[in-house]
Each structure stands twice: as structure tokens, then as C-alpha cells.
Amino acid sequence: MRNKGRVLAAASAVFALAVTAACGSGDDTTKTPEVKPEFNAALTSVFNPSDKPGGTLKMAISSDWDSVDPGDTYYGLSWNLLRLYGRSLVMFKAAPGAASAELIPDLAESLGVPSDGGKTWTYKLRPGVKFEDGTPITSKDVKYGVMRSMDKEVLVNGYTYFNDFLDIEADYKGPFKDKAADTKAITTPDDQTIVFHLKQAFGGFDYFAMLPATVPVPAAKDTGVKYKEHVVSSGPYMFDKYEAGKGFTLKRNPNWDKATDPNRKALPDAYDVKIGLNADDIDNQLISGDLHVDIAGTGVQPAALPKVLQDNALKAYADNPAVARLWYTSINPKVAPFDKKECREAVMYAVDRTSYQAAFGGEFAGGQIATSIMPPQIPGYAPTNVYPAGADNKGDLDKAKAALQACGKPDGFDVTMGFRAERPKEKATAEAFQQALARVGIKVTLKGFPTGDYFSLYAGKPSYRNSPSTGLGLMTNGWGADWPDGYGFLSQIVDSRVIRDSGGSSNLSVMIPEVDTMIDQALAETDVKKREALWAQIDKRVMEEAVILPGVWSKALTLRGKGVTNVFVNEAFGQYDYLSMGVAQ
């Protein structure tokens, strides 16, 4: 997931309280006293536990993300949030700590039942589930949700797992191009049963069933790229108002039945989500109590960091999770002079890694300086450092200059670096690159892009990033695991086959045929230890080509707003669990 501390654990324990839509208004207005706040109180346990419904949870973010459409989104914050209005076949357990790594049934009655040696996977839907308008949800709605998500010319964002694994007919065009067309890759023998047919066996298919693409979509209500303007709810909340780029509100879905959903408490009456606020203002409003959550979940900004760390009363509202996320920079081999490996190596050696770390808040709040792609939390991680940055991590300028000489650019060269404009930490990273590379004659021009379109129209669109006129040689990036193994972390950022001309891919720079072959070998390996060792080899092989400059294995000093109940860090997303939070009444 993009910036998703991605799926290393997860969401909410089975809850006993039956909170129905009817009780949402909450007649009891007695103020619930807040538990005394403490630093890291929500890291491995639930802070301020409560089953009390009512109130409005106020959320904000400095930039829009790709989409609220479950079939067109690849931001971790979005996956976290959309569980309020969408139910996938399975989900990660909503609970703090290691329990969040467990996959549990959501829309389905149970985890998938494999057959045909793992090439066929069957799920049965829970009875009685309905859309917001009261229409019964059927297996056909789930099938349609998956099939629409695979059209990467219309819904350009997101993963390609279903495209890569489903046994789709070569002439199948998808529902946007031919509404009458059907495929045998997904069958629905009855309204409660959905069967997935794969080209090859995959024992981890339940991870695919966890993806937002399995959230049901009624075909008659689908408006393609405009579906995000009114996603039809299958969860406890539905869209009330939606203003593109400005925000939206969620209200209770009257046709959600707690009896069909053991995983959601559905505590607040409503959610108020504001988009486009200044990042520093969000921190200030969290501190003042005017906001409950910064949806980005990537931590307070540099301006607020010392204020929080030096004031014990403020620090008591903070948590500092270490998550399986890498902040990094893609080096584009399709833009000259980065088509020469030695010119890419010059960047690897010249960058000041300590300034990268400082841009994200330093070692305590930002994370550990990374020397490879996979974070230490991912099974298969092996320490490697192909391009050492000197004893002080400030760069090896002698090796950088030697690399420039070898690539025919002894005096340096000009390059454009893209970053997400509304993200101060990524802007600071780009400015740090500019200063560090200038030491060896590399002149960096900085170019900020809107976060919501960064992957679909700019950095993630080959025709833009590789163009002689608009080419981006360097691009800030961030990544967390889709699920906790080497494939769930690496595949969508290092497999060249996920790159799409239409844009939206998270792989901006890795095009190594040998790596593609190694990924296939790892998938076919049934011995866990041998498979994990292969992921480490893939990591090192990508690093050898100098197309990814790892920056920081992430930590994030995050603030829980005052008056928030039932708060814990969901390790699947590396953020607070938005599904479980409530508001003190």
C-alpha cells in the first residue's frame, strides 16, 4: 500500500455490544470521563476503551488521496477508512498488537475454501447483508466489484493481483467496455457463493480476498470514475455529503445490521472528513482538541514535533509506532543520464541519509536510516548495504565523483525531482536531495504535484515521467506491505509487469527482467524458509541496479485527539484503527 504501513496486522476484535443504527443517536448524554492519557498508551493496547455510541468523529488531511472508490484506491489511509462504508470478503482482525495479523471473515461467513490444489477458492456470503438502499448484497455484486477494479484504463489506481492471477479469457473486455460480457474466472453458482479460478495455485488467496476490490458494487449504480462521488455503502456508514477535494461526511446506514457484522462497533453517529487543510494547522487543531484524527497517519510535522516532545502533557496524547513502511526515492532509468547505471550510483553515494531521516522527524519520530528495500519486520529481511553512505551516513562524495566520471558526467548534470506538494516531509526530503547532490555538481529542480494525482497522472504515468520535456529523474515515494510477507511488500513496487501505460502503478523505476523471473520463482517455492530467502535476494538485486534509494524505515509520532475512545494502532495500516474509534459522550 502507498504510505500504508501496510498490512502487518490489524483490525477489531469480535465485539459483544449490538449497536444498531437505531441506537446511534445515543439518548444518554452523560459525559464519559477520559482515561488518563499516557505516551504510547495506544501502541499495543486499547486506550480509553468504550462501547458507548454517539457523537461525530472529526478527521482531516492536508491532501486528497486517489479515491474513496474501493476499486480505485491504493493509499493505506483509504483502505483503513473505507472499512466504515465497505465490507470486503475477509479483513484483518481489528485489534492492537500481534492479533491484527489474523485474517478473519467479514462479508464472507468463513475464510476461503481451496480446491484444485489451491487454484480454486470458494467463499459464501453471510445471509441478510444489504446495501444502503435495502437491496440484498449477492455474490454477483462482489464479482462485479472485482471485475471493474481490473480495468486499469478506467480505474487506473491500485494493485494488479487479480489481473495477474485470475484465469481471465484473453478476449474478456471487462464491464466498462462490454456490460454483457462474462468470464469464467469468477463464478457465482448462487447468490451466496462466489468462486475464484486462478491460472496458478496461490495458497495466500485470502490476502486477495482482503483487498478493497472485493467490496460489493451494484452494477446498476456504477458510474465508473465518478462512482467515488457516491459509493454505495455495504458497511455501517454511508456518504451524506461529498465535495471533491474538500471533504465529505458519513452518516449511519439504516440498512446495516449488526447481526451480520461481528467485526464493527460503529460507535460514532457521524464522521466529518475535511480535505486540504494546512498540515501544520492540522497538528495545531489536534493539540487544541478541535480535531480527533489526522487521516494521513504519518505523524506530526516538523513544526509541532519539538512542541509535542518537550511538553509531557502533549506527549501523553502521542504514540510512536514503528511500522513496516519504507520512505524512499525512485531513480528513473528511462530519463537521461540515469539510463547509465553509474549516474544513478552517483546519486546513491552523494545523498546525505541523515538529512533524509531529519526530513521525517529524526530517528525517534521518523525512523531508522534504511539500507535496503524490505523493512526488518518483513519475513525474509536480510541486512544489506550495497551503497554505503560513509561512516557518518552523510554521503561518500569521493565515490559519487568517481561514479560521475565513469558515467561521462564529471561536472554533474541537471535532473528534475517530483514530490507530493501537500506533504511537508516529502518537500523537505526533496530540498535535502537538492542540497546534498549540489555538492557533486548535480543540479536538482524540484517539482511538486497534487497527492491525489501523483501516481495516476504524473510520477506513476510513464508517458509523463519518461518524457523528454516533463521527465522526472527522481521521485519521492512511500510504501508499506499489502500483507506481511515478501510478496505482499515487494511485488507492486519491483515487478516491471505491474507498470501500466495508463498510469497508477506504484512501481516508478524498477524494470529488471531477472527480478520478474525471481518473483515467479519465489511464488512457486513451497518451502517457507527458502521462499523468504528469495525475497531477500530480490531486494539485493534491485538495490544493485541503483533504481531505488531507500530513505527511512518508518516510525511516526502520531497524536490521538482529545475525547477519542477505543483508540489503538492498527499495525496493518501503521495508523490508528479508524473502524474502532469512538467519541466520548
Side-chain angles (χ1 to χ4, degrees):
M1 286 170 243
R2 293 173 186 144
N3 304 348
K4 305 154 183 167
R6 229 157 171 166
V7 169
L8 271 188
S12 143
V14 177
F15 297 104
L17 179 67
V19 182
T20 65
C23 79
S25 57
D27 294 327
D28 185 357
T29 57
T30 304
K31 185 71 173 179
T32 304
E34 183 180 55
V35 174
K36 182 181 178 181
E38 294 180 6
F39 178 61
N40 276 342
L43 203 59
T44 57
S45 60
V46 179
F47 171 74
N48 210 14
S50 175
D51 288 337
K52 196 172 185 65
T56 298
L57 196 69
K58 294 177 286 187
M59 316 176 87
I61 191 169
S62 62
S63 58
D64 207 349
W65 55 95
D66 46 19
S67 181
V68 296
D69 182 339
D72 195 29
T73 184
Y74 211 11
Y75 274 81
L77 64 95
S78 183
W79 288 22
N80 190 356
L81 190 69
L82 69 80
R83 296 173 302 150
L84 298 170
Y85 56 87
R87 296 179 64 184
S88 51
L89 287 172
V90 305
M91 62 185 286
F92 282 98
K93 191 175 184 180
S100 59
E102 181 185 351
L103 285 172
I104 59 174
D106 186 8
L107 193 63
E109 289 185 319
S110 68
L111 298 181
V113 178
S115 56
D116 191 21
K119 291 177 65 177
T120 301
W121 287 79
T122 301
Y123 298 83
K124 284 192 173 292
L125 273 58
R126 298 180 190 270
V129 291
K130 299 177 181 178
F131 286 116
E132 64 183 52
D133 61 1
T135 305
I137 294 172
T138 73
S139 54
K140 293 179 178 60
D141 300 313
V142 178
K143 174 179 178 176
Y144 183 79
V146 173
M147 298 314 302
R148 70 188 291 276
S149 77
M150 293 172 61
D151 190 329
K152 295 307 178 188
E153 293 181 8
V154 178
L155 304 181
V156 300
N157 295 295
Y159 39 82
T160 61
Y161 298 120
F162 289 113
N163 304 63
D164 300 335
F165 276 81
L166 286 178
D167 192 15
I168 298 289
E169 296 86 351
D171 60 349
Y172 178 70
K173 297 179 180 180
F176 294 129
K177 295 182 177 64
D178 185 354
K179 291 183 179 181
D182 198 5
T183 172
K184 294 181 180 179
I186 305 178
T187 54
T188 53
D190 58 59
D191 283 350
Q192 301 301 118
T193 306
I194 183 166
V195 185
F196 296 89
H197 305 272
L198 312 184
K199 290 183 287 189
Q200 64 190 78
F202 182 60
F205 190 81
D206 277 328
Y207 288 115
F208 291 4
M210 169 274 306
L211 297 170
T214 69
V215 170
V217 175
K221 300 287 183 69
D222 188 14
T223 52
V225 293
K226 291 186 176 182
Y227 185 65
K228 64 183 179 182
E229 296 174 7
H230 190 119
V231 176
V232 180
S233 172
S234 53
Y237 298 94
M238 58 187 287
F239 282 86
D240 185 17
K241 297 179 181 177
Y242 177 90
E243 291 185 272
K246 295 182 179 181
F248 55 87
T249 57
L250 301 174
K251 63 181 180 181
R252 289 191 180 275
N253 172 7
N255 282 296
W256 174 74
D257 184 354
K258 175 64 182 174
T260 72
D261 191 348
N263 303 318
R264 290 164 173 80
K265 282 191 171 184
L267 295 178
D269 284 337
Y271 290 78
D272 184 358
V273 179
K274 289 183 169 57
I275 296 171
L277 274 63
N278 177 275
D280 291 325
D281 287 344
I282 291 176
D283 288 340
N284 291 333
Q285 289 188 49
L286 284 168
I287 291 170
S288 69
D290 293 324
L291 278 176
H292 295 124
V293 185
D294 177 358
I295 308 174
T298 54
V300 299
Q301 304 306 321
L305 188 59
K307 186 188 304 184
V308 174
L309 293 179
Q310 294 166 19
D311 185 332
N312 287 335
L314 287 179
K315 189 176 178 181
Y317 282 91
D319 298 285
N320 190 210
V323 298
R325 176 189 296 141
L326 173 70
W327 298 111
Y328 67 99
T329 295
S330 299
I331 305 178
N332 186 1
K334 295 292 186 179
V335 170
F338 288 148
D339 53 338
K340 298 180 180 179
K341 181 181 176 182
E342 292 85 359
C343 284
R344 303 194 298 269
E345 291 178 330
V347 172
M348 300 291 285
Y349 285 123
V351 166
D352 181 346
R353 306 298 178 92
T354 66
S355 67
Y356 209 132
Q357 185 183 53
F360 279 89
E363 184 173 4
F364 176 79
Q368 178 185 350
I369 291 175
T371 57
S372 61
I373 302 168
M374 285 199 303
Q377 297 98 322
I378 300 293
Y381 163 80
T384 184
N385 192 358
V386 178
Y387 296 102
D392 58 2
N393 271 319
K394 293 184 179 294
D396 189 326
L397 301 189
D398 289 338
K399 286 187 177 179
K401 291 174 182 177
L404 286 173
Q405 189 75 37
C407 81
K409 298 287 184 179
D411 299 323
F413 51 84
D414 292 353
V415 63
T416 299
M417 182 169 186
F419 63 95
R420 287 175 277 197
E422 307 92 342
R423 298 195 169 193
K425 294 175 184 178
E426 293 195 13
K427 182 180 180 183
T429 297
E431 291 170 346
F433 265 69
Q434 191 177 51
Q435 295 172 15
L437 298 185
R439 298 179 298 175
V440 294
I442 300 175
K443 181 181 178 182
V444 179
T445 299
L446 305 184
K447 196 164 186 178
F449 298 97
T451 300
D453 297 326
Y454 188 66
F455 292 96
S456 60
L457 298 180
Y458 303 108
K461 194 173 182 67
S463 61
Y464 186 93
R465 71 167 179 259
N466 301 338
S467 166
S469 59
T470 60
L472 301 174
L474 301 169
M475 294 157 283
T476 60
N477 211 337
W479 190 254
D482 286 345
W483 56 82
D485 74 352
Y487 184 67
F489 190 88
L490 288 172
S491 65
Q492 298 293 304
I493 60 172
V494 305
D495 189 329
S496 70
R497 295 165 293 189
V498 307
I499 298 173
R500 306 182 291 273
D501 290 340
S502 57
S505 172
S506 297
N507 182 357
L508 311 184
S509 61
V510 186
M511 291 153 271
I512 309 169
E514 182 186 352
V515 167
D516 298 346
T517 300
M518 293 171 75
I519 290 172
D520 292 342
Q521 291 172 343
L523 279 174
E525 178 56 65
T526 56
D527 183 282
V528 174
K529 292 299 181 184
K530 290 180 180 179
R531 183 168 64 247
E532 290 177 353
L534 286 170
W535 297 126
Q537 293 172 27
I538 291 168
D539 189 337
K540 185 177 180 181
R541 182 68 190 90
V542 174
M543 288 299 304
E544 288 171 347
E545 288 299 312
V547 286
I548 284 180
L549 191 153
V552 181
W553 289 315
S554 177
K555 293 188 77 175
L557 190 75
T558 55
L559 287 175
R560 21 184 160 93
K562 296 173 183 176
V564 181
T565 67
N566 228 59
V567 189
F568 58 86
V569 172
N570 182 322
E571 294 180 12
F573 307 103
Q575 304 166 343
Y576 295 125
D577 188 283
Y578 302 152
L579 184 66
S580 303
M581 299 172 79
V583 182
Q585 298 298 301

